[in-house]
Amino acid sequence: LGESEVVQVSAKVVVSPEQLAKVASDMVAVADQVHGAVIATDSSSVGDSAASAGANSGFATSQLAEALWSGWRSELLDDATKVARFGDDLGADGGTWSRTESLVTRSFTQPVR
Amino acid sequence: MVTFQQLRAADPDVWHQQAAAWRALATSVDQQGSAVISTFQPLLEEWVGDDANTATARASRLRGELFAAADRIGPVADALQRHAETIAAAQARLSRSLIGAAQLGLAVRPDGSVAPSPQGLFQPGAPARARVLNAEIATIIGIATDSDTSTAAALRGLAPVIGPSADPTPTVAAASVPVRNTAPTSVAAWWNGLSDGQRESLVFTHPELIGNLDGVPATFRDRANRASLAVARASMTHRIAALGPTPTPAQTAAAAALRAQLAGLDAIAHRLPNMPDRAPAYLLGLDTVGNGRAVIALGNPDQASHVLTYVPGIDSRLATVDEALTRGDTLMGAMGRTPQAYHTSVIAWVGYDAPPNMDAAHDSLYADRATSDLTSFQQGLHATHIGPPATQTVLGDDYGSTVIGDATMSTGLRPDAIVFTNSPGVIAQNAGQLGIDPSRVWAERDMPDPTGWAMYQGVDPTSAAFGARPLSPIALDDTIAQITTTITPNH
């Protein structure tokens, strides 16, 4: 390796795998919070189709509100998934990183033959 | 158009409640948008380069999407709130008109029109009053209709803008989830065939179905079981409270058992949050039925290069899971002193009904019932592992060693290494019968054995005839960590 390439490798391993793993885990927890909000809304009168189909069923507002929740539910689920995937990717990077770091460390610590 | 009958029957409280739910949702989504950045921020203190820039852009985009969602969801609450108030006011005004009609002897027809009643037909001024009330009711219905029309239009304008990555089929039917005891490789294939949205949906809609399912990745099992843990703790607390202040003797015994299990659940909950200098915990299994079971990994086994599964012995159960967790952390500490520190995972596998005492440990039934679950769990670890296969070491302490011995003989458990400590015996006659290279089998006893404990269940694995490699009780966990991190895959 040339000198400049060695410097670049050094910069890439400056984040600790543990730190990445923690952020990854916390990021997935954020996704879980978004999911939790969706589930809570499902359990509310917004997600209760019986409520919409009851006394207020003749109102266009009720029909629109029900359709609106269906759309937002899907959208927020998608957003939560993206956040979870981001966390998963960071975690996977952390795993790869730690293996790479170990290899780099080992290459530095093993005697040159 | 809103009709007279619809207005009378409407329940504005439903829209009030919906407005409150939408508002709460907007607040939560907005907070999580901020959380994306605050969670990611610590990385930027040390992380530089192209990858950091890419990740930062991704975090910013996710925050932007959540903020944009919150910005559109909030007005939904406002629109519904205004509509609820308008309809409630219209109903109140309509009610006053109907009372007035009754007082004037006017009849209100089902369509809302007002006419003099037969009794009041010839009263002076009745037709004129009826015309006034007809106009008033028409105005009220007009107000309700306008509100309904404008609110519906507002809601239509607040629909999400569905992006190309939106998943149109995020839900998965419970019946399509593989049942327990399905081969972990089949479970993994099913799981890999799901979309991201379907997987995420399962975590929340059916955590009880995937939390204990071998072949589902550790991170998803963990999240599902954390949800189940919260439910279990709440349920157990409720059941204890429901026994009342003056329980019968039977209820007192039941309450004691519940409290013991709750203590186990609390111990798990205490260990799950990330802690400085301790490996992150993953709850891979949870069951409160009977003695209860729990499986906790310290370090992600799907990403580790070396995985040690610790199977405890007599009296291990949900109520005493803290002991298995403590041993797991001790073993993980030993792993941390090896060169492979960052590539290891220790799993406390309290995944079977263990004998409650030494007398019961004469019975091989406890081991017989545990074998298929232990083997399935290990196969599941193989199926979900990322990258080159991890080496798998199983450590059986006490009766746990009997379980491992049985599993190798009866259900094809094939780890890369086996360690027996304080064993009451294994059914194999020698290490060569365990299905792996005998040089990969170690055995240790750290105390005298005057009771013949070592042969409760068959052959003493520390005996010379058995042929396992001896282990010194001195610095035992460090030695086990060395074995775990230096063993090569068993082909």
Side-chain angles (χ1 to χ4, degrees):
Chain A
L1 290 176
E3 190 174 334
S4 61
E5 290 168 291
V6 172
V7 170
Q8 188 170 4
V9 170
S10 175
K12 282 180 181 298
V13 297
V14 76
V15 178
S16 72
E18 300 95 318
Q19 176 79 329
L20 258 181
K22 181 182 184 312
V23 170
S25 170
D26 290 348
M27 194 62 75
V28 172
V30 172
D32 287 348
Q33 291 289 330
V34 177
H35 251 131
V38 171
I39 299 303
T41 309
D42 264 341
S43 304
S44 75
S45 55
V46 171
D48 181 6
S49 56
S52 299
N56 300 345
S57 61
F59 286 77
T61 294
S62 292
Q63 295 158 17
L64 255 297
E66 193 172 347
L68 194 64
W69 172 235
S70 176
W72 273 113
R73 188 185 192 285
S74 175
E75 181 70 6
L76 291 174
L77 195 62
D78 193 50
D79 287 341
T81 301
K82 289 177 189 170
V83 176
R85 291 283 296 176
F86 185 39
D88 290 344
D89 288 348
L90 288 173
D93 285 349
T96 306
W97 217 307
S98 65
R99 284 189 287 277
T100 306
E101 187 181 44
S102 173
L103 288 172
V104 171
T105 305
R106 199 161 52 197
S107 72
F108 287 156
T109 54
Q110 283 178 346
V112 177
R113 298 184 182 183
Chain B
M1 176 181 171
V2 175
T3 65
F4 170 74
Q5 293 295 346
Q6 286 171 343
L7 179 57
R8 288 194 72 183
D11 182 0
D13 274 351
V14 171
W15 291 310
H16 275 297
Q17 292 164 11
Q18 289 178 337
W22 281 98
R23 190 163 289 117
L25 178 66
T27 302
S28 180
V29 171
D30 186 76
Q31 288 171 343
Q32 298 318 315
S34 299
V36 167
I37 294 302
S38 62
T39 299
F40 182 71
Q41 196 70 33
L43 280 182
L44 295 181
E45 293 170 9
E46 297 178 331
W47 193 12
V48 293
D50 293 344
D51 291 347
N53 294 338
T54 302
T56 302
R58 195 168 164 190
S60 297
R61 193 165 60 247
L62 291 170
R63 176 188 61 172
E65 289 181 12
L66 290 171
F67 278 174
D71 285 346
R72 289 174 72 78
I73 288 171
V76 174
D78 297 337
L80 287 171
Q81 181 72 28
R82 278 194 304 273
H83 181 59
E85 291 167 358
T86 302
I87 295 301
Q91 284 182 320
R93 190 169 163 182
L94 182 64
S95 180
R96 288 194 295 274
S97 295
L98 297 181
I99 291 170
Q103 288 171 341
L104 293 170
L106 300 175
V108 181
R109 299 192 184 101
D111 65 356
S113 61
V114 178
S117 65
Q119 297 90 334
L121 185 59
F122 300 105
Q123 286 183 7
R129 290 179 187 130
R131 279 196 298 277
V132 170
L133 279 173
N134 266 324
E136 169 68 359
I137 290 173
T139 298
I140 293 168
I141 289 175
I143 289 170
T145 300
D146 286 349
S147 177
D148 191 39
T149 304
S150 61
T151 304
L155 295 184
R156 198 174 287 113
L158 293 170
V161 179
I162 304 295
S165 62
D167 187 342
T169 56
T171 58
V172 180
S176 69
V177 178
V179 296
R180 205 167 164 227
N181 298 327
T182 301
T185 49
S186 299
V187 173
W190 163 78
W191 183 262
N192 291 334
L194 298 177
S195 69
D196 294 337
Q198 288 173 318
R199 293 174 190 158
E200 294 295 330
S201 174
L202 271 173
V203 170
F204 288 93
T205 54
H206 300 296
E208 75 288 355
L209 296 182
I210 64 167
N212 296 319
L213 194 56
D214 299 325
V216 171
T219 51
F220 286 95
R221 288 176 72 160
D222 173 56
R223 291 165 60 201
N225 285 322
R226 285 177 191 237
S228 297
L229 176 66
V231 172
R233 291 175 80 193
S235 168
M236 219 156 274
T237 303
H238 177 76
R239 286 166 65 190
I240 292 169
L243 291 174
T246 55
T248 65
Q251 287 176 325
T252 301
L258 287 171
R259 285 195 188 91
Q261 282 212 340
L262 182 58
L265 295 175
D266 289 345
I268 294 169
H270 180 71
R271 182 59 184 85
L272 289 182
N274 285 332
M275 302 178 192
D277 304 324
R278 297 178 81 175
Y282 297 81
L283 185 54
L284 302 185
L286 183 70
D287 189 350
T288 59
V289 174
N291 288 334
R293 302 176 183 196
V295 181
I296 304 105
L298 307 175
N300 186 342
D302 287 348
Q303 294 182 354
S305 304
H306 309 282
V307 180
L308 172 67
T309 302
Y310 161 58
V311 183
I314 285 177
D315 199 33
S316 56
R317 54 199 164 99
L318 183 55
T320 60
V321 72
D322 58 323
E323 296 171 16
L325 273 172
T326 300
R327 182 74 198 281
D329 270 323
T330 304
L331 286 163
M332 199 59 185
M335 296 286 194
R337 295 189 284 275
T338 70
Q340 299 290 324
Y342 297 136
H343 314 285
T344 57
S345 174
V346 171
I347 299 170
W349 194 78
V350 188
Y352 76 111
D353 287 330
N357 51 48
M358 286 185 71
D359 284 343
H362 278 291
D363 194 340
S364 65
L365 195 62
Y366 296 96
D368 296 343
R369 288 176 177 158
T371 55
S372 60
D373 285 344
L374 177 60
T375 301
S376 172
F377 179 74
Q378 295 294 310
Q379 291 170 344
L381 292 178
H382 260 305
T384 58
H385 194 264
I386 300 166
T391 62
Q392 294 184 342
T393 300
V394 290
L395 162 64
D397 183 50
D398 189 277
Y399 194 89
S401 64
T402 304
V403 172
I404 291 170
D406 268 19
T408 61
M409 301 283 284
S410 63
T411 53
L413 176 67
R414 293 292 179 268
D416 298 299
I418 296 174
V419 179
F420 297 127
T421 58
N422 299 308
S423 175
V426 294
I427 59 173
Q429 292 300 305
N430 55 63
Q433 291 184 346
L434 296 173
I436 67 172
D437 181 344
S439 69
R440 293 167 175 267
V441 181
W442 283 262
E444 177 273 352
R445 180 175 310 287
D446 63 3
M447 62 186 78
D449 185 27
T451 63
W453 166 246
M455 290 182 288
Y456 266 38
Q457 286 294 337
V459 178
D460 177 1
T462 63
S463 66
F466 189 79
R469 297 169 70 174
L471 272 182
S472 166
I474 299 169
L476 178 64
D477 286 347
D478 282 320
T479 307
I480 293 171
Q482 285 296 329
I483 292 170
T484 302
T485 56
T486 56
I487 197 78
T488 53
N490 180 28
H491 295 297

